[in-house]
Amino acid sequence: LLGLFLGLGFLSKASFGLFSISFIIALATTKEGHLTLLNKRSLSSLAIVLLVTLPYDVWAFSHIDIAARSVHKLHLFGQGEIYRVLGKLFVSCIAVLSPFFLVFFLIFGKALSRPKRSSEINPLYFPLLRYFPILLGLLVILVAVFDVTRFKNRWLAPLLVIVPVAAFQYLNTKNVSAQMIRRFTLALGIIAIGILSIMGLRNTICPKFGYFTDLSYPSSAIAQEARHLGYAKGIIIASSHVAAANLLMQFPRSIALHPGLSFVPPEITNYQGQVLLLWNRQHSPELPPYLKNFIEKRLGIKIRKGRIALKNIRYPNTNGRIAKIGLLLFEHHGLGKHNDSTMPLSRPLCPKSN
């Protein structure tokens, strides 16, 4: 079960890798831990981890550029701001763990006691109390050495698995009643349902109070405008990854690209067909220079005259927030077949917007 948990955890969040490394180091630094590492169950768990993650590992090593393209998300504040980042990390840990500790102490406060160390050697021994300083040390190294400066609360979610196990070591089982167990189970159920409810409501109710997520993006309305222009399938090139991904959901037979990509799909080389451009015209109705460079220099696609739409589209479930977008649909005839119909971009694309 441990191997399955770690394997699925790594597939869901790469941060599980850091927690797993801390797990191994904690075992390797104790005599009892050596027995645990060499235990048949531990080796079986490792084999299960490798088996579960094998398809992703093979794909990742074959597509390094794609697998590593989100590494930039780890840099937020800039290099050198160690104390500020460590403070943010500390606050994130508190934010993740405080609900658990609140419920734990309210229910099991009277049953707490100092754990007794057994003189017998346990082949499944794990030094939980040593694990946390090691994990903290690795996080500090990431900040100080590798300049990782961004930590999101959800990246620390594995703590919600490890910390409760450590906390329950401090319970005197003689003082734990069946009523405490029922209350704790009920509290976990209420919290789980609450989290799922909030995740659903944040895209319907929260935008009315100014809180937006990527799912708040008016992709359906933008897709409808694209259909009005005549777009069916082909290549979608958007100014942001959020816009590209959301439109891909609306046109699943298309290829979605954005300037943040560190690779060029091989399908682009000999592509002929529709190309749909989408950009944010918040500051200017013209196509942004960085998007134009990406299209023409990185992708080798000449921007041609086509059908244009400049629209002000209202975000769903909001009090009037507007997405100002530009759409351009044109036909691409393959590399080396460009003519004088290339579209000039030194003037606004359209004199009006809706």
Side-chain angles (χ1 to χ4, degrees):
L1 287 179
L2 177 62
L4 181 62
F5 165 76
L6 292 177
L8 294 177
F10 179 77
L11 292 178
S12 63
K13 277 295 174 187
S15 60
F16 262 78
L18 177 64
F19 289 84
S20 300
I21 293 174
S22 303
F23 183 91
I24 295 174
I25 295 176
L27 288 174
T29 53
T30 63
K31 294 182 180 179
E32 298 92 337
H34 292 163
L35 296 176
T36 301
L37 284 175
L38 299 177
N39 186 277
K40 291 182 179 180
R41 294 183 182 180
S42 298
L43 297 178
S44 298
S45 295
L46 178 60
I48 292 174
V49 171
L50 296 177
L51 183 63
V52 170
T53 61
L54 181 61
Y56 172 79
D57 295 336
V58 172
W59 175 86
F61 281 110
S62 302
H63 303 80
I64 295 294
D65 288 344
I66 304 176
R69 68 185 181 186
S70 296
V71 173
H72 68 277
K73 295 191 300 182
L74 299 176
H75 297 264
L76 180 63
F77 300 116
Q79 300 181 357
E81 301 184 26
I82 296 178
Y83 296 108
R84 182 179 178 183
V85 176
L86 291 178
K88 178 177 173 58
L89 174 62
F90 178 73
V91 172
S92 297
C93 290
I94 293 178
V96 170
L97 296 175
S98 56
F100 164 76
F101 280 120
L102 177 62
V103 173
F104 181 80
F105 285 116
L106 286 177
I107 296 176
F108 296 111
K110 296 181 180 180
L112 290 174
S113 65
R114 186 176 181 83
K116 296 181 180 179
R117 182 178 177 85
S118 175
S119 58
E120 298 180 0
I121 296 178
N122 182 359
L124 297 179
Y125 167 81
F126 178 68
L128 277 168
L129 299 183
R130 179 175 296 205
Y131 172 86
F132 296 109
I134 292 175
L135 176 60
L136 178 61
L138 290 179
L139 291 173
V140 172
I141 290 175
L142 287 177
V143 174
V145 178
F146 297 100
D147 294 314
V148 174
T149 55
R150 184 178 186 179
F151 293 95
K152 290 186 177 181
N153 290 355
R154 64 175 181 268
W155 297 349
L156 301 174
L159 287 176
L160 292 175
V161 178
I162 301 296
V163 171
V165 176
F168 278 109
Q169 285 191 340
Y170 285 85
L171 292 182
N172 186 339
T173 55
K174 296 180 180 179
N175 297 330
V176 177
S177 64
Q179 186 179 26
M180 290 180 178
I181 299 296
R182 286 194 296 268
R183 289 178 178 176
F184 186 71
T185 304
L186 178 62
L188 290 183
I190 293 174
I191 292 174
I193 293 174
I195 291 175
L196 292 176
S197 300
I198 292 173
M199 291 178 66
L201 292 175
R202 69 176 183 170
N203 297 314
T204 56
I205 295 178
C206 293
K208 295 181 179 180
F209 300 95
Y211 176 78
F212 300 93
T213 68
D214 292 345
L215 296 177
S216 302
Y217 193 74
S219 54
S220 297
I222 294 175
Q224 190 62 30
E225 295 294 339
R227 293 187 182 97
H228 287 164
L229 288 179
Y231 181 76
K233 68 175 182 177
I235 295 179
I236 299 171
I237 306 175
S239 56
S240 71
H241 68 283
V242 173
N246 276 286
L247 273 192
L248 183 61
M249 296 291 291
Q250 301 292 327
F251 301 99
R253 295 189 298 168
S254 297
I255 299 174
L257 307 172
H258 65 90
L261 293 177
S262 57
F263 69 101
V264 176
E267 298 88 344
I268 302 299
T269 304
N270 299 315
Y271 173 76
Q272 297 185 34
Q274 290 186 319
V275 177
L276 178 68
L277 307 186
L278 168 63
W279 68 96
N280 182 355
R281 59 177 189 85
Q282 184 71 34
H283 303 293
S284 173
E286 298 181 9
L287 195 69
Y290 71 90
L291 185 59
K292 179 177 182 289
N293 290 336
F294 172 72
I295 296 169
E296 295 190 337
K297 295 182 179 180
R298 290 286 308 282
L299 302 181
I301 296 177
K302 288 294 184 180
I303 301 173
R304 300 171 177 275
K305 293 180 179 179
R307 303 189 65 182
I308 303 171
L310 301 184
K311 297 289 182 178
N312 295 335
I313 299 179
R314 184 177 179 272
Y315 275 70
N317 304 309
T318 64
N319 293 325
R321 181 175 180 177
I322 298 297
K324 296 183 177 182
I325 59 100
L327 291 170
L328 170 62
L329 176 64
F330 64 91
E331 290 288 331
H332 179 58
H333 303 297
L335 299 181
K337 298 182 179 181
H338 308 304
N339 53 39
D340 293 334
S341 62
T342 301
M343 184 170 198
L345 293 171
S346 59
R347 57 179 176 78
L349 293 174
C350 185
K352 298 181 185 178
S353 63
N354 296 330

